[in-house]
Coordinates of all heavy atoms in Angstrom, one line a residue:
N7 N 3.7 14.4 25.3 CA 4.7 13.6 24.7 C 4.8 14.0 23.3 O 6.0 14.1 22.8 CB 4.3 12.1 24.9 CG 4.6 11.7 26.2 OD1 5.4 12.0 27.0 ND2 3.8 10.6 26.6
I8 N 3.7 14.3 22.6 CA 3.9 14.7 21.2 C 4.7 16.0 21.1 O 5.5 16.1 20.3 CB 2.4 14.9 20.6 CG1 1.9 13.5 20.3 CG2 2.4 15.7 19.3 CD1 2.4 12.7 19.1
I9 N 4.3 17.0 22.0 CA 5.0 18.3 21.8 C 6.5 18.1 22.2 O 7.4 18.7 21.6 CB 4.3 19.3 22.9 CG1 2.9 19.7 22.4 CG2 5.2 20.5 23.1 CD1 2.1 20.5 23.3
Q10 N 6.7 17.3 23.2 CA 8.1 17.0 23.6 C 8.9 16.3 22.4 O 10.0 16.6 22.2 CB 8.2 16.2 24.9 CG 9.6 16.2 25.5 CD 9.6 15.9 26.9 OE1 8.7 15.3 27.3 NE2 10.8 16.2 27.6
L11 N 8.2 15.4 21.8 CA 8.9 14.7 20.6 C 9.2 15.7 19.5 O 10.1 15.6 18.8 CB 8.1 13.7 20.1 CG 8.0 12.3 20.9 CD1 7.0 11.3 20.4 CD2 9.4 11.7 20.9
I12 N 8.4 16.7 19.4 CA 8.6 17.8 18.3 C 9.7 18.7 18.7 O 10.7 19.0 18.0 CB 7.3 18.6 18.0 CG1 6.3 17.7 17.4 CG2 7.6 19.8 17.1 CD1 4.9 18.4 17.4
L13 N 9.8 19.1 20.0 CA 10.8 20.1 20.5 C 12.1 19.4 20.7 O 13.2 19.9 20.4 CB 10.2 20.8 21.7 CG 9.0 21.7 21.4 CD1 8.6 22.3 22.8 CD2 9.2 22.7 20.4
A14 N 12.1 18.3 21.4 CA 13.4 17.6 21.8 C 13.1 16.1 21.7 O 12.8 15.5 22.8 CB 13.7 18.0 23.2
P15 N 13.4 15.5 20.6 CA 13.0 14.0 20.4 C 13.7 13.1 21.3 O 13.1 12.2 21.9 CB 13.4 13.7 18.9 CG 13.4 15.1 18.2 CD 13.7 16.1 19.4
T16 N 15.0 13.4 21.7 CA 15.7 12.6 22.6 C 15.1 12.5 24.0 O 14.8 11.4 24.5 CB 17.2 13.0 22.7 OG1 17.8 13.0 21.4 CG2 18.0 12.0 23.6
S17 N 14.8 13.6 24.6 CA 14.3 13.7 25.9 C 12.8 13.3 25.9 O 12.3 12.7 26.8 CB 14.3 15.1 26.5 OG 13.6 16.0 25.7
G18 N 12.1 13.5 24.7 CA 10.8 12.9 24.5 C 10.7 11.4 24.7 O 9.8 10.8 25.4

Side-chain angles (χ1 to χ4, degrees):
N7 287 334
I8 287 288
I9 291 171
Q10 193 161 17
L11 284 173
I12 292 169
L13 298 176
T16 304
S17 61

